[in-house]
Amino acid sequence: RRRRTVLQRQHFPDPSDESVKQHYQWLSRFFHHPNYIKVNGQPVFMVYWWLPDNVPILKELRRLAIQDGFPGLYLTIAMSHTHDELFVPGRDKGQDRNQFPTGLVNKTVAYPYPLKWMEKQVLQVPESCHTKTTLPDRNRTDLITGILAAFDNTPRRTLEEAHLWSADEPELVAERFFKSLQAAIYYETCCFPPTTSDDRFILINSMNEWAEGMCLEPSDVFGYRFLESVRKAKTSVVSCGCAIEPTLSSS
């Protein structure tokens, strides 16, 4: 059997355990902050990975949030799954999100697990977005677009298991990130009927996950390129609206 990297033992206590309540009490001070992200008054709580053992705890956290005065807890779960519309078609999509218990998860994050075939790929806006007559018929999915700034898990894996997406020149790595982010922002802004809903998200991994090379935070290799790409991608859509032409796919 191949050896896997283990960082910390996964332990899920019984939901009635006092530690679960104590954890919620620690979270509560953030949930009540006026700047904390909420959807219809529900604090957004993201779970990085799906495990059946965490279901009872998530249900208990939601119950405690309601007891704490919130209308609920807005749960999102990340998974290894390419986006239904924004990624190159004809590839293995990854995990099946239908495995999640009905009514538990509000949205799932299409997290592009760094497989070899995905290296150097960028998100692409489907051409159907530009057929304006179809926009009233387009319904938003329950997917949140996930984007990697870069990737390098060589510090944590063997040479055979490791994936390295950031070996190119820094300008090229940052440009791929910019194109994916611009496509995601364009998709959320221009591919559906206008809405004021506050449940639209794009997730970038991550601010400072140095162990796997996913860092928006400035570094001596990339400088401020990733942060500048965030500003540039957002500004391009805000200033030019849907008139810009990001990379298109034929899906």
Side-chain angles (χ1 to χ4, degrees):
R1 183 177 178 179
R2 298 169 69 186
R3 295 181 61 187
R4 305 293 295 174
T5 300
V6 178
L7 297 181
Q8 186 174 351
R9 178 175 176 266
Q10 298 290 317
H11 172 63
F12 299 96
D14 186 272
S16 62
D17 192 276
E18 183 64 19
S19 64
V20 177
K21 183 177 181 179
Q22 290 174 350
H23 186 61
Y24 179 82
Q25 291 172 341
W26 181 82
L27 292 169
S28 177
R29 56 178 175 169
F30 301 106
F31 290 167
H32 281 283
H33 194 282
N35 292 342
Y36 193 90
I37 298 173
K38 300 179 181 70
V39 174
N40 297 325
Q42 304 173 87
V44 176
F45 188 73
M46 179 182 171
V47 180
Y48 169 68
W49 200 253
W50 164 255
L51 292 171
D53 289 345
N54 64 26
V55 172
I57 296 176
L58 293 176
K59 289 181 176 179
E60 177 63 9
L61 291 177
R62 178 171 278 164
R63 187 191 72 81
L64 290 170
I66 294 173
Q67 191 179 79
D68 195 21
F70 297 105
L73 193 62
Y74 194 91
L75 291 173
T76 69
I77 291 184
M79 60 180 179
S80 176
H81 190 291
T82 56
H83 196 282
D84 290 343
E85 292 195 293
L86 288 172
F87 217 86
V88 179
R91 295 285 191 176
D92 178 17
K93 289 182 176 296
Q95 284 180 290
D96 180 8
R97 63 183 182 274
N98 292 323
Q99 64 185 303
F100 304 147
T102 302
L104 176 67
V105 180
N106 295 90
K107 283 197 173 184
T108 54
V109 180
Y111 182 82
Y113 192 77
L115 301 175
K116 182 64 179 177
W117 69 264
M118 297 171 67
E119 185 177 346
K120 299 185 180 181
Q121 300 282 354
V122 297
L123 298 183
Q124 301 177 1
V125 176
E127 289 183 350
S128 59
C129 286
H130 295 272
T131 308
K132 302 302 182 184
T133 57
T134 67
L135 290 187
D137 299 323
R138 290 180 62 88
N139 294 317
R140 294 186 181 276
T141 70
D142 62 350
L143 283 178
I144 296 173
T145 305
I147 302 173
L148 301 183
F151 195 84
D152 175 8
N153 65 350
T154 54
R156 297 183 51 234
R157 301 286 183 181
T158 64
L159 180 61
E160 293 76 19
E161 291 184 324
H163 295 288
L164 179 60
W165 285 11
S166 49
D168 291 327
E169 290 297 319
E171 292 81 5
L172 294 177
V173 177
E175 181 65 15
R176 286 196 292 268
F177 169 70
F178 163 75
K179 288 180 178 179
S180 287
L181 182 57
Q182 185 190 48
I185 296 174
Y186 184 95
Y187 176 78
E188 288 291 342
T189 305
C190 305
C191 295
F192 302 94
T195 179
T196 58
S197 174
D198 54 4
D199 66 347
R200 294 175 295 161
F201 301 100
I202 296 170
L203 185 143
I204 301 173
N205 197 348
S206 95
M207 186 62 188
N208 54 6
E209 192 173 346
W210 296 103
E212 291 191 336
M214 297 183 285
C215 309
L216 291 176
E217 200 169 60
S219 68
D220 57 354
V221 175
F222 295 101
Y224 290 85
R225 287 182 178 88
F226 291 126
L227 291 176
E228 290 169 346
S229 293
V230 172
R231 179 176 60 186
K232 179 182 174 183
K234 185 174 181 179
T235 300
S236 69
V237 178
V238 170
S239 61
C240 300
C242 300
I244 65 171
E245 295 290 338
T247 303
L248 300 179
S249 74
S250 59
S251 60

